[in-house]
Amino acid sequence: MENQNQEQQKGFMDNLKDKFEQVKDQVQDKWEDVKDKTAELADQAKDKLEELKDKAEDTWDGIKDKSQHLTNEAKDKMENIQDRADDKVTELKDKANLEMAKAKVEYNEIKKDVKDNLR
């Protein structure tokens, strides 16, 4: 009987040991699955981050290009306005000089007439 009890205990212990090994193997398999999934998610996150970084750089480059274009356009317009203002100033100076010349001629004619009349 004692022998039978020992065999039952040994059978129970072997069965318990087998169950433990099965659970241990299942836990290790799940752990490997979790590690693999974590690595996969990390790779996906890295790829998405790189994609977002590239998009941000492209957007920034677009903004810089547009900004440079607008800056150049504004500069060209300012230069055009300055050129037109310079032309207008020159035109007004020429007109003023012409008027001054006419006034001087008229003054000299009046001065001559006055001299002639005084003689």
Side-chain angles (χ1 to χ4, degrees):
M1 190 96 159
E2 203 176 294
N3 203 12
Q4 192 179 11
N5 263 350
Q6 284 179 345
E7 283 181 30
Q8 284 178 346
Q9 283 180 347
K10 185 176 187 275
F12 175 76
M13 291 303 281
D14 287 344
N15 191 25
L16 189 60
K17 183 179 174 185
D18 288 345
K19 288 288 184 193
F20 176 77
E21 287 297 321
Q22 285 178 353
V23 169
K24 180 179 142 189
D25 290 345
Q26 288 175 345
V27 168
Q28 284 178 334
D29 289 346
K30 290 293 180 189
W31 174 248
E32 290 299 321
D33 290 347
V34 167
K35 279 184 8 182
D36 292 346
K37 188 64 176 174
T38 301
E40 181 183 326
L41 291 173
D43 287 343
Q44 289 175 357
K46 182 180 173 186
D47 291 345
K48 189 65 174 176
L49 183 62
E50 192 65 32
E51 181 183 317
L52 290 172
K53 179 183 164 201
D54 290 345
K55 267 187 185 178
E57 287 174 352
D58 290 346
T59 301
W60 176 248
D61 289 344
I63 289 169
K64 281 190 342 189
D65 290 347
K66 184 68 175 173
S67 173
Q68 186 62 47
H69 171 74
L70 291 173
T71 300
N72 290 343
E73 194 174 281
K75 184 179 174 185
D76 290 346
K77 285 182 180 180
M78 286 302 296
E79 288 173 355
N80 187 302
I81 289 170
Q82 183 65 45
D83 289 346
R84 288 192 337 225
D86 290 345
D87 291 347
K88 190 66 173 175
V89 166
T90 300
E91 178 186 327
L92 291 173
K93 280 182 179 179
D94 291 346
K95 190 174 182 182
N97 287 337
L98 181 62
E99 291 298 319
M100 287 292 286
K102 285 180 185 177
K104 191 171 186 178
V105 167
E106 219 177 289
Y107 170 77
N108 285 336
E109 285 178 6
I110 292 171
K111 189 174 160 185
K112 183 181 177 228
D113 285 344
V114 167
K115 262 188 182 181
D116 287 345
N117 285 336
L118 287 177
R119 285 190 191 169

